[in-house]
Amino acid sequence: MKNIFPNFKKVYNEFPRLFWVVVLARFIDSLGGTILFPFFSLYVTQKFGVGMMQAGILLGINSFFALFGSMVGGALADKFGRRRLILLGLVLSGLSSLSLGLADSIQMMYPLVVFVGLLVSLANPAHEAVLADILPEAKRQEGYGILRVAFNCAWIFGTALGGFIATRSFFALFVIDAVISCIVAVLLFRLLPETKPKVREEAGHREASFWETVKGYRIVARDLAFMGFILSGMLALVVYIQQYGSLAVYLRDTHGIDSKGYGVILSITGLEVVVFQFWISRLIRYRPPFLIMMLGAGIFAVGVFMYGLVSGFVMFVIAAIIVCVGEMLYFPTSQVVIARFAPKEMRGRYMAVAGFIASVPNAIGPATAGYLLDNFDQRLLWYIGGFLCLISAPGYLALHTRLGSQERFILSPPEKDPVGA
């Protein structure tokens, strides 16, 4: 147990103060998000009396337009910096929460989710780039692990509290999320400086205009190994992410487990991350990253298959715990790999394209999942999802074979690690 629970004072001193500012802000912001968005599908189906397919179409439209917003945001982050975009994104997030909560018809929801997808996603690449900016390579694996611990601390409280509030007032969830976004915006306005590396100026090269920055996406698209990494990620996550939306409806309609039970399941997995993530991050930090991601995708498959095979609250908790083990291996490693792919001067654009790993599954997954849930045996969704997780694994093996011996993907011990962001 001593190896699992770190010396917190020692860990705190190993990271710069600005890193902890970002962690605190992400925790507070995630608290608002986890109170609201795991219950969005329940809100739409209950308030407007529509099926899960229509709720999934709304989520898919939101994610589809988020792709465009994120692409613009990645170029903006590389051209103008991270801070202003992050603050703008928080303000827009608060406004969008209120607008979605005030909508009085399903028809009004469609233009709203387009607006939310385009504008709120502008800040996503800037959020992801900040951690790579402020942490040296030797600390990124642990840093992203700590960020996941903070996020899951929010899950513990947010999902349980959200499930409790949702049984009384869905609108209150939207108000709470909006208020929290404003609190985080004030915090970061006071404490977050600009972190964008001054690479272009030092190299004597300036992109002539914002349009030239946008055209830099051609460089990302020609990075075929990176695009293969994106494709494998999309396959691994296309149904995995449904446990944060469709799973709530599946548990309610097929197994009689209400929103409070769903919230408890998510809170248990959040506690799992809080207890074990830092230990796992340290355990795997010098292991071949693509093989770790392959293992994580395989564990996803086991847990997702279980969602379709088991019944009873306890068995769903066990399935969620197994999926969470895959998460603890997969996600911090994924963030480290993305940062290793990206040149310093293109971090925002690489982070924007990396957002496709989640955004494309979010765009096509909810409507597809809703169609399956509404028209077929609801267990079929999880069988398909487990299969897709499995077929993503050879992609990571191929990346390991091609790139695993390159220095940038060998996560060396600290005395051999290059220092500096």
Side-chain angles (χ1 to χ4, degrees), residues 33-42 155 159 244-245 248 262 266:
T34 55
I35 284 174
L36 172 60
F37 285 103
F39 304 96
F40 183 78
S41 295
L42 290 174
W155 270 113
T159 52
Y244 300 114
Y262 171 66
L266 295 185

Side-chain angles (χ1 to χ4, degrees), residues 90-268:
L90 288 166
V91 173
L92 292 173
S93 177
L95 293 174
S96 70
S97 288
L98 287 178
S99 67
L100 291 171
L102 290 169
D104 58 6
S105 69
I106 191 68
Q107 291 76 20
M108 186 180 292
M109 292 292 287
Y110 285 93
L112 284 176
V113 296
V114 171
F115 170 82
V116 171
L118 280 172
L119 296 184
V120 175
S121 61
L122 285 172
N124 290 345
H127 278 290
E128 297 302 325
V130 163
L131 263 293
D133 292 342
I134 64 180
L135 290 181
E137 291 182 1
K139 302 303 294 182
R140 285 179 189 157
Q141 183 94 11
E142 293 173 45
Y144 285 116
I146 290 171
L147 203 62
R148 278 189 53 75
V149 170
F151 177 77
N152 281 274
C153 283
W155 270 113
I156 292 171
F157 299 105
T159 52
L161 182 59
F164 178 79
I165 296 172
T167 60
R168 290 157 175 79
S169 170
F170 276 113
F171 180 66
L173 301 179
F174 293 94
V175 174
I176 292 169
D177 184 48
V179 170
I180 288 175
S181 292
C182 293
I183 291 171
V184 176
V186 172
L187 175 68
L188 292 184
F189 179 78
R190 295 180 60 87
L191 298 177
L192 180 68
E194 181 53 61
T195 65
K196 178 168 134 323
K198 297 180 179 179
V199 174
R200 287 191 290 266
E201 292 79 1
E202 293 170 1
H205 170 69
R206 291 177 181 269
E207 289 171 330
S209 65
F210 174 67
W211 178 242
E212 290 295 321
T213 306
V214 172
K215 288 197 294 185
Y217 277 114
R218 291 180 299 184
I219 298 172
V220 184
R222 287 197 294 264
D223 190 339
L224 297 183
F226 184 65
M227 300 311 292
F229 174 80
I230 299 298
L231 178 60
S232 291
M234 289 190 294
L235 288 172
L237 298 189
V238 67
V239 175
Y240 156 81
I241 60 174
Q242 299 311 315
Q243 67 177 342
Y244 300 114
S246 301
L247 181 60
V249 176
Y250 169 69
L251 292 177
R252 180 192 66 189
D253 294 349
T254 303
H255 297 281
I257 299 172
D258 63 12
S259 61
K260 287 187 287 186
Y262 171 66
V264 170
I265 290 173
L266 295 185
S267 296
I268 289 171

